[in-house]
Structures are given as structure tokens and as C-alpha cells.
Amino acid sequence: MIAVELRKLFGRPRTWVTIGLLCLLPAVVAGFLASTRIAPPPGQGAAFLSAVLQSGSLYPAAALALVLPIFLPVAVAVVGGDAVAGESTAGTLRYLLVRPVRRTALLGAKLVSVIVFVVVTVAAVAGSSYVVGVALFGAGDPVAVVNAIPQVAGPGGGGGGDQGSSGSSANGPAAAAPAAPGASPPAAGTPGTGSTTTSDPTEARDRAQDSVSSLSGAPLSPGDLALRLLGAMGYITISMLGVGAIALFLSTVTASSLGATLGALAALITSQVLVTLDAAASVTPYLPTRYWLAWIDFFRDPIFLRDIRSGVLVQLAYVVVLMVAAWANFTTKDVGT
């Protein structure tokens, strides 16, 4: 059953067109950055964009920041909303359920196909962006990258307190907050700053060779950077499962795939608005989009896990609750008519 659903999903040209468009957006942005050599100032624009001119190996993280707030959730909502309602509209669901197919197994296969779509899409965006980033910007000067990314004050880098997670705000995702005006940078080698550079540029370059910088300023080796990027990709995948669960549940409620998709998007937009509203502080921790940007904490040194854990728990709760509701509706309602 799972293999059949995966063949149907990835056998549709629109699936590959969607993945291609998601990969194209970061490539277009990289082209403009490479041609103008003008990057957003630190603290403005999508995360990591202010540093990609110094290191193309950071571009996969910047690409994920570009597609996460809008484009990736829309793609997942379309796939999830079409999972059941699309077959109902096309008339294939009725014939499928005539066969000895358990509805529970069918719903589970639909969920797996959504998960696989998210994994493939996130991997495609990160992989293609790495190739584009390194080709246009090079691997980068590790010392220049250390100096290009400002120090981050406070645990969680925006995850602390109730003002948002990992740089989330009313203006969307942001990179690390810049230092306060007039503040002096920490002295090289000062304990607690996370910096491994010294007053000798040659020695600093040797010590940071083949590395890039975390948001806290500490150099990261290529292996460490790869592991953190994989962690971010996994977290983003889990974050999108909540979107898929909402869309899949609505797909069992209505026979219109467009209605299910728009319903899921309306829920996400409502969540985004409430996250920025102080009056909704009591419900903010339970909203599906509250911890979407906590993946940025994988690139801090040390990694701040508080918001990452909270985000995983919130998304899993949405998946469990909504899939149980979808199962109850799908197994009892004549959705094929």
C-alpha cells in the first residue's frame, strides 16, 4: 500500500515541478547575491544570508530559511490536502475502497507518502543549495566567516522568553541579532565568548582552517557543520508534519482538495498572526508555527535544545491528535460519495 501511494505521488509531474520550484528560489537568490555581492546586513533578511558571501557552505541553511516560512508549508499543504480529497474528487477513492483495503492502512500510507515528500523536498533544497552556494561563493575563508557573524546574546538566540523562537518575529525569520550600537567586540580569546581566534591572524587562520562559524562565533568543522545541517533538516521535516497532519485531516472532512489545502493554510496563517500577538501569549506555546524557526539553534555553540525539544513535542502532539481524528472520520464516514 505504501509503495503504491509513493508511486502515485512521485509519478505525478506536478510533484517534481513543486520540488523544482522550491529548489529554484534559493538558486535565484544566490544568483543575485553572486552578481551584486550585496548581502543583507546581519540581523536582516533570512538567516545566514549575511554570511553566505564569505562561505557558500552555509547556503543550505540560508536556503532552508528562505523556503520555510511560506513556500515549503504551502507545498506540504497541497500534498496533504490532495491525499484523500483529491481521490474522492476524481472518483478513484470509491473504487479503491471497494477492494479489500483497510481504511486504516490506506490512511497510514497517505501519511507516509506526505512524510517522504517532505524528506525528499528538504533534502533536494539543501543539496541543490550546497552545490549552488559552493559554486558561486566558494567554501569560504573560515576567519572571515567567524568575523562576519555577530555574537549572539542570551540563551536560545531569541528562543529565550516568550517573544518568539530563534529569531522569529512579526517580520519573519531573522538571522542572529547584531551587537548593540557602540558595544565593543569581545577580546580575542576571552573566556565565555565561544571564539577560538587569537590576536595572531596566521595562527587564527590555522586553528580555524576548513571550518565555518556557528552563530555564536565559534568555528565549526565541515563534519560538525554537516551534522548540524542534518539536525536542522530533520527538525524542519518534523515541523512540516504538523502541516501535513492538518491538511490530511481536512482532506478526510471535505471532498475538495482545494478546500482542504486552503483550510490548512488558513490555520497556519492564523497561528502566525497569534504568535506575534501579545494578547495570545497564553496559547502561543501550543501553536503549530511557534517553534518553526528553532532549527537555527542547531547552529549555535553550544546548541540550545530547549525550543527544539518543545517544537518536536508540539508537532508530534498535532500529528497524533489530528491523525486520530482523521482515522475516526475516515473509517466511519462514506467519504467516497
Side-chain angles (χ1 to χ4, degrees):
M1 180 63 64
I2 294 177
V4 172
E5 290 300 321
L6 291 178
R7 282 198 298 269
K8 287 195 298 185
L9 176 62
F10 290 101
R12 297 168 181 165
R14 66 184 180 187
T15 299
W16 295 107
V17 170
T18 300
I19 296 175
L21 290 175
L22 288 172
C23 295
L24 180 61
L25 172 63
V28 171
V29 174
F32 279 104
L33 291 176
S35 61
T36 63
R37 309 303 295 182
I38 301 175
Q44 298 182 21
F48 299 99
L49 273 184
S50 60
V52 296
L53 292 182
Q54 286 76 33
S55 177
S57 59
L58 284 172
Y59 198 63
L64 292 175
L66 287 171
V67 302
L68 177 59
I70 299 176
F71 300 101
L72 183 58
V74 169
V76 175
V78 169
V79 172
D82 187 65
V84 176
E87 296 211 43
S88 179
T89 301
T92 57
L93 183 61
R94 181 184 306 169
Y95 297 104
L96 180 62
L97 296 179
V98 169
R99 301 166 55 193
V101 176
R102 293 174 52 194
R103 294 192 178 192
T104 301
L106 179 60
L107 188 63
K110 297 288 188 183
L111 177 62
V112 171
S113 67
V114 173
I115 295 173
V116 173
F117 171 79
V118 177
V119 172
V120 171
T121 303
V122 171
V125 170
S128 62
S129 299
Y130 178 82
V131 173
V132 171
V134 172
L136 294 180
F137 309 114
D141 182 345
V143 175
V145 176
V146 170
N147 295 330
I149 304 181
Q151 295 286 330
V152 178
D162 294 324
Q163 299 303 317
S165 173
S166 304
S168 61
S169 67
N171 296 323
S184 300
T190 302
T193 62
S195 174
T196 60
T197 60
T198 66
S199 58
D200 185 352
T202 302
E203 182 181 354
R205 187 180 302 276
D206 291 339
R207 293 178 62 180
Q209 189 64 40
D210 296 327
S211 65
V212 295
S213 172
S214 70
L215 286 175
S216 301
L220 302 176
S221 67
D224 194 11
L225 178 63
L227 289 176
R228 290 169 186 252
L229 182 60
L230 287 175
M233 292 167 61
Y235 182 83
I236 290 174
T237 299
I238 294 175
S239 297
M240 293 299 100
L241 293 187
V243 181
I246 295 173
L248 190 54
F249 165 70
L250 294 176
S251 187
T252 65
V253 173
T254 177
S256 170
S257 58
L258 179 60
T261 300
L262 292 179
L265 294 178
L268 297 180
I269 293 172
T270 301
S271 175
Q272 290 280 48
V273 172
L274 292 179
V275 163
T276 64
L277 189 64
D278 291 339
S282 59
V283 299
T284 294
Y286 311 106
L287 297 175
T289 63
R290 166 61 176 87
Y291 298 102
W292 268 9
L293 300 180
W295 65 271
I296 296 177
D297 289 342
F298 278 105
F299 295 91
R300 307 189 191 279
D301 190 25
I303 298 173
F304 299 124
L305 295 176
R306 187 191 66 177
D307 282 357
I308 292 174
R309 293 194 196 99
S310 299
V312 170
L313 292 176
V314 167
Q315 299 302 329
L316 292 180
Y318 272 96
V319 171
V320 171
V321 171
L322 290 173
M323 290 310 300
V324 169
W327 171 83
N329 183 64
F330 189 58
T331 55
T332 58
K333 185 178 178 180
D334 187 7
V335 295
T337 60

